[in-house]
Amino acid sequence: MHSYTVIGASSASGFDERAVQIARRISVAGLAIVVIVFAATAVFGEVNWLSFAETLTYLIILGALTLSSFSRYRVKQTLSAALLGLFFAFWLFSLWQMSADMMSIEGFALALFIPMMVAMALGHRILFFLAPVQFILVTAAFQIYGPIFYSPELSTSSLFTLGGVHGALAAAVFFLLGLVQRERLKTDLRLIKAIEETERLASTDPLTGLLNRRAFMSALSGIAKNPGDFVITFIDLNNFKPLNDQYGHAAGDAVLCEVGKRLSRRPGIVFAARPGGDEFAILISAQALNQPIEAFMDSLHRAIAEDIAWGDGAISVGASIGYCDLLGAAENLSVCLSRADAAMRRAKIDGGGAARFDEGKDNMSMETELLVAAFPSALASGQIRAALQPIADARTNKIVAYELLARWDWAGLERQPGPGEFIPIAEKLGLLNSLLWQTLEEALTAAHLGEAKLAVNVSPGQLQSAAFLKTLCARLDACGAQPSQIILEVTEQVAFRNLDANVEVLTRAKELGMSVALDDFGTGYSSLSMLDALPLDKIKIDQSLVRLADKGSSASILKGAIELARQLGLTCCVEGVCTQEAANYVRSLGVDELQGFWIGRPAPAAAQRDAVKIAS
Ligand code: C2E
Ligand code: CA
Ligand code: CA
């Protein structure tokens, strides 16, 4: 695996940041002190060529340090070099002033003290090196300035003893400073190690040692800022759950570890992660591969699928791999992740192997995901609206009912999702009842139904949901409507599962005064026994039979269906009547009701009320 600094980066950069801060403080404060001291000397003392040279030297050193710290260029090295430069320059000018008899008593005291201040910011190695240097320089200073500072009569040996004692003390201070710095560095390093270890633990999956989801995402967003030729890959193991159940969790863990190892060993992998369960994710650098990406994916798939030793035998797992190119810019990251995921799910549906994201094949499932994510808030915020489509008496063309159809008014989307897309989603999310109550209330309050009934589509799941009929009646009551105004449209699905329970609910609905219609007749099994078993009032013949009516056999099915309804004494409605000809044709076959664009298209509930007003 390529090394990638996901962890430790923050602590190392924290160390560098400290050097930058110290360098900035020293350089700015140093420049200020130098300027102030020079100005004070000019005002209160005497400025000579030596003080000029000294000030200029300090300004150059501190200026270089300022530049380095603000441009962040080699700050640590420049800081050490600048402090050493200041140390030696200060000593040089001090000794020069002493020997030229240009030093004041206060200046001599400062000359012993200031180098110590400068050295405090240096590292321990330089301090250990400077300790003997400081000893020599202090001793030398006493030889030169001792007669002036103490007494001109001091003997050479006394001067030497005096200088030596001061020098030794100064060297000892340097040495102690060095020890302190060394201990501090050790503590800092221990701290960094502890932070790195904590970061590592927080970012790795303890079982496989790969990155966990959080670290994978942060590493990905880091890399997405500087895009290259990268490929995001999601891997999902096939049949992992049954394997876990059959062989136990220890075997499952062993499989995950082994797959993790096999992934890490592949060339071209920038980092690998186990975001959770039996899912793995890798980022691949296409440039680092010595083969086309398709060949790489095939070999990756084979490598994962190879037998894994377990006990005396071997276990093998399959894998579904989905991959896509990493698009530049961090904001595209979620798109890339959904793409790789969609491709992976397609691979899974195809029985395993690897699949590259394909706009045509995978966008559909991504759109579905988008709808699933958006539907609950769309319903809550009133984006799901009621539309009504008229159903007319075939003989008089009088509107006898309206069918309640749901519409998703999604302003943000170019294409409005149709009920064929979002009704299954609402069902999956358990929101079909909420959708019905909302659209029902809208239809009953916004539309003017008059004598016409209201047909509502009800799924088998809804029929079986607790207190469905009771709630429906309460909702109707709240809107001032009667159960006798309602037609429940059910499909033959109600006969496939829980037939007895469904029949019971429908019978109860009829007792309450509602009617029951069998929807989409002619599209499924349409068995006669089912027609007999369900307590029906009406059958609605599916529009596909009308559209194909001019084609031989379909026409006979249509005729047969209408005849069947008549024989069973059920009202017969034909859906999808789009033209006058179609209307005349189905009328001639003896149909009772017509529904379709020729009678009227589904329209918003409020528009239906306005249309009724204009007509009357
Ligand atoms: P459905 O119950 O068979 O509803 C009739 C569908 O046929 C409606 O499609 C309607 O717009 C369409 N249609 C009506 N006349 C014509 C015509 O002359 N030509 C053509 N080409 N189409 C016609 P829609 O509104 O797209 O609904 C599709 C299906 O979604 C419905 O089929 C129904 O099963 C379901 N659905 C719609 N709204 C709801 C709802 O609120 N609740 C439930 N549970 N299902 C709903
Ligand atoms: Ca219907
Ligand atoms: Ca229908």
Side-chain angles (χ1 to χ4, degrees):
M1 228 188 317
H2 284 209
S3 66
Y4 183 79
T5 345
V6 183
I7 45 178
S10 55
S11 24
S13 65
F15 229 22
D16 290 344
E17 194 52 36
R18 199 163 79 191
V20 171
Q21 294 307 328
I22 293 173
R24 280 189 189 164
R25 275 186 213 135
I26 289 178
S27 60
V28 172
L31 282 173
I33 291 171
V34 170
V35 171
I36 291 168
V37 169
F38 184 76
T41 318
V43 175
F44 304 109
E46 199 182 318
V47 175
N48 53 30
W49 64 269
L50 196 58
S51 49
F52 258 123
E54 189 175 3
T55 306
L56 192 67
T57 310
Y58 297 152
L59 286 180
I60 290 170
I61 294 174
L62 291 166
L65 186 59
T66 314
L67 276 181
S68 156
S69 68
F70 282 93
S71 66
R72 294 178 176 268
Y73 179 73
R74 293 178 181 263
V75 182
K76 274 193 203 162
Q77 295 89 325
T78 314
L79 179 63
S80 299
L83 289 171
L84 269 178
L86 286 174
F87 177 87
F88 283 112
F90 188 80
W91 265 119
L92 178 78
F93 285 111
S94 298
L95 290 174
W96 201 329
Q97 281 171 333
M98 289 174 203
S99 52
D101 205 2
M102 288 159 75
M103 168 127 346
S104 62
I105 299 274
E106 305 79 36
F108 183 66
L110 283 177
L112 300 180
F113 179 68
I114 286 179
M116 229 175 273
M117 295 291 293
V118 171
M120 267 162 76
L122 284 163
H124 67 283
R125 282 199 192 87
I126 303 180
L127 279 167
F128 291 147
F129 157 75
L130 282 185
V133 176
Q134 178 75 353
F135 171 77
I136 294 165
L137 288 168
V138 170
T139 313
F142 269 85
Q143 306 314 305
I144 302 168
Y145 204 66
I148 305 163
F149 192 69
Y150 292 99
S151 146
E153 277 98 50
L154 275 178
S155 65
T156 315
S157 63
S158 306
L159 276 176
F160 209 77
T161 313
L162 202 59
V165 169
H166 277 89
L169 279 173
V173 170
F174 270 52
F175 190 73
L176 284 174
L177 272 177
L179 287 179
V180 170
Q181 289 289 51
R182 197 176 64 177
E183 279 315 300
R184 192 175 150 179
L185 185 73
K186 272 192 198 161
T187 316
D188 281 355
L189 288 176
R190 266 201 299 271
L191 202 66
I192 287 176
K193 238 178 144 187
I195 292 171
E196 280 181 356
E197 184 59 12
T198 317
E199 282 182 3
R200 196 186 64 76
L201 286 176
S203 62
T204 39
D205 161 43
L207 184 65
T208 58
L210 303 180
L211 300 184
N212 60 18
R213 180 183 292 275
R214 187 187 70 96
F216 181 69
M217 290 308 293
S218 89
L220 259 189
S221 44
I223 227 163
K225 286 182 198 136
N226 326 292
D229 209 355
F230 295 110
V231 177
I232 297 186
T233 309
F234 280 169
I235 302 157
D236 196 87
L237 301 185
N238 295 346
N239 302 320
F240 182 73
K241 201 182 160 324
L243 178 146
N244 232 348
D245 295 342
Q246 189 184 345
Y247 295 93
H249 286 275
D253 286 356
V255 167
L256 293 172
C257 281
E258 182 55 29
V259 171
K261 271 189 213 144
R262 290 179 188 181
L263 289 182
S264 315
R265 268 188 242 128
R266 297 266 106 195
I269 292 189
V270 186
F271 44 75
R274 183 168 81 106
D278 59 347
E279 282 170 42
F280 293 85
I282 50 180
L283 188 79
I284 298 160
S285 161
Q287 279 152 350
L289 296 180
N290 46 9
Q291 56 186 343
I293 189 79
E294 290 77 14
F296 172 85
M297 290 298 171
D298 280 347
S299 68
L300 179 72
H301 182 245
R302 278 198 305 278
I304 298 172
E306 253 171 46
D307 281 357
I308 295 168
W310 175 248
D312 295 336
I315 303 176
S316 76
V317 284
S320 304
I321 302 174
Y323 60 102
C324 72
D325 294 337
L326 178 67
L327 304 171
E331 57 268 28
N332 287 329
L333 195 56
S334 60
V335 176
C336 299
L337 294 172
S338 321
R339 285 183 170 187
D341 194 48
M344 188 268 285
R345 273 182 287 125
R346 181 160 51 84
K348 189 141 223 152
I349 291 167
D350 293 345
R356 187 184 205 128
F357 171 75
D358 181 305
E359 197 99 24
K361 292 179 187 158
D362 296 318
N363 261 349
M364 206 52 180
S365 63
M366 283 174 68
E367 254 183 43
T368 309
E369 258 179 40
L370 184 74
L371 297 187
V372 171
F375 186 80
S377 56
L379 184 65
S381 65
Q383 281 178 26
I384 307 297
R385 305 299 303 268
L388 294 175
Q389 186 178 28
I391 299 170
D393 182 292
R395 281 165 286 273
T396 61
N397 274 0
K398 187 174 169 257
I399 293 171
V400 291
Y402 288 94
E403 179 171 0
L404 176 61
L405 297 162
R407 293 289 176 265
W408 188 341
D409 266 334
W410 193 351
L413 215 67
E414 271 173 37
R415 190 185 61 83
Q416 307 270 300
E421 291 167 276
F422 68 80
I423 294 292
I425 289 173
E427 177 137 45
K428 201 168 107 185
L429 296 172
L431 292 172
L432 212 43
N433 272 342
S434 312
L435 178 143
L436 177 60
W437 308 142
Q438 272 188 33
T439 50
L440 182 72
E441 188 182 312
E442 188 189 343
L444 291 173
T445 49
H448 177 83
L449 296 177
E451 301 270 285
K453 294 191 172 190
L454 186 66
V456 295
N457 292 286
V458 181
S459 75
Q462 279 176 286
L463 274 191
Q464 286 306 312
S465 58
F468 173 74
L469 281 180
K470 207 169 144 209
T471 318
L472 175 59
C473 289
R475 298 270 166 167
L476 292 173
D477 197 38
C479 299
Q482 301 300 318
S484 58
Q485 285 177 272
I486 298 299
I487 305 168
L488 299 180
E489 290 196 7
V490 295
T491 61
E492 57 184 34
Q493 298 287 330
V494 294
F496 297 156
R497 279 178 65 197
N498 306 323
L499 175 66
D500 293 344
N502 290 334
V503 168
E504 197 183 312
V505 179
L506 293 175
T507 310
R508 174 93 191 98
K510 286 184 68 160
E511 285 165 10
L512 289 166
M514 298 179 202
S515 316
V516 178
L518 184 68
D519 204 357
D520 303 340
F521 186 76
T523 52
Y525 295 96
S526 307
S527 88
L528 293 178
S529 63
M530 175 195 61
L531 285 181
D532 201 36
L534 295 172
L536 299 174
D537 297 292
K538 164 153 106 171
I539 60 171
K540 293 182 78 178
I541 296 171
D542 192 69
Q543 49 180 291
S544 57
L545 295 190
V546 184
R547 254 184 282 130
L548 299 170
D550 48 347
K551 293 194 181 120
S553 63
S554 297
S556 47
I557 298 175
L558 179 63
K559 281 182 204 158
I562 295 170
E563 185 54 34
L564 186 67
R566 214 191 342 244
Q567 294 294 326
L568 291 171
L570 302 175
T571 307
C572 174
C573 172
V574 170
E575 294 187 276
V577 178
C578 299
T579 60
Q580 171 97 53
E581 292 77 52
N584 290 341
Y585 175 64
V586 293
R587 260 191 210 124
S588 72
L589 297 177
V591 66
D592 305 303
E593 292 175 359
L594 305 177
Q595 182 179 0
F597 292 171
W598 184 70
I599 304 289
R601 285 177 180 262
Q608 180 278 343
R609 183 191 52 204
D610 298 341
V612 169
K613 262 195 227 151
I614 292 164
S616 53

